[in-house]
Amino acid sequence: MLIAAILRTKGPDVVRVPPDTTVALLLTELARHNIGAAVVADGDRLLGIASERDVVRGLEREGAGLLAAPVSSIMTADVVTCTPRDSVEEVGETMTRRRFRHVPVVEDGRLAGIVSIGDVVKSRVRGLEYDRAQLEAYIHGG
């Protein structure tokens, strides 16, 4: 299965914040959308990604003053991305191996969506359920 299949189900919407957004406002956006990370972008140009983990690490280092700091001070700038043509399995393995939970999807240099580890797991479970149903149908002569 390809990442494009996840995007067809999930849609292309991505919560974006500009790099000068305060960490406090980032937290407001994460809570409002019930998500764990937001893309940091200048228009369509991907600059980084800021997650709950980035905030926690920043708070541990800098204390509550971090809330007034710009998101650019805590974001991960070296972002691993994927394309709609990448396999769900490969992206999931990369996420597990590199220990991150969100991957922006980029196509033709533009942000096309974002996938989370939850999206990957749901997709893999659906594939396994389909395979099981096919095997049961075969076993029972259907």
Side-chain angles (χ1 to χ4, degrees):
M1 181 170 298
L2 301 180
I3 292 296
I6 291 176
L7 293 183
R8 277 194 299 275
T9 302
K10 173 180 187 165
D13 294 338
V14 180
V15 175
R16 306 170 195 218
V17 296
D20 59 349
T21 300
T22 64
V23 172
L25 185 54
L26 168 69
L27 291 173
T28 298
E29 288 299 299
L30 295 179
R32 186 164 73 92
H33 294 282
N34 195 29
I35 56 174
V39 168
V40 182
D42 181 12
D44 280 336
R45 192 168 63 104
L46 175 66
L47 301 175
I49 191 165
S51 71
E52 297 163 325
R53 286 182 182 179
D54 294 322
V55 174
V56 168
R57 289 179 184 130
L59 285 169
E60 192 277 325
R61 265 189 332 267
E62 299 180 32
L66 177 74
L67 296 174
V71 168
S72 60
S73 69
I74 63 159
M75 73 180 188
T76 300
D78 186 20
V79 181
V80 173
T81 63
C82 67
T83 73
R85 294 169 304 286
D86 289 331
S87 80
V88 171
E89 183 176 297
E90 289 172 358
V91 172
E93 287 173 7
T94 299
M95 294 169 92
T96 300
R97 188 177 63 255
R98 303 271 308 267
R99 299 182 58 111
F100 50 78
R101 301 175 53 87
H102 301 86
V103 176
V105 182
V106 177
E107 185 170 35
D108 299 325
R110 300 188 73 179
L111 196 56
I114 191 166
V115 293
S116 71
I117 194 71
D119 298 326
V120 169
V121 169
K122 279 188 249 176
S123 173
R124 302 276 309 267
V125 167
R126 276 194 305 272
L128 291 171
E129 288 171 345
Y130 175 80
D131 291 347
R132 187 195 79 219
Q134 293 298 307
L135 287 170
E136 286 177 354
Y138 176 77
I139 289 168
H140 297 303

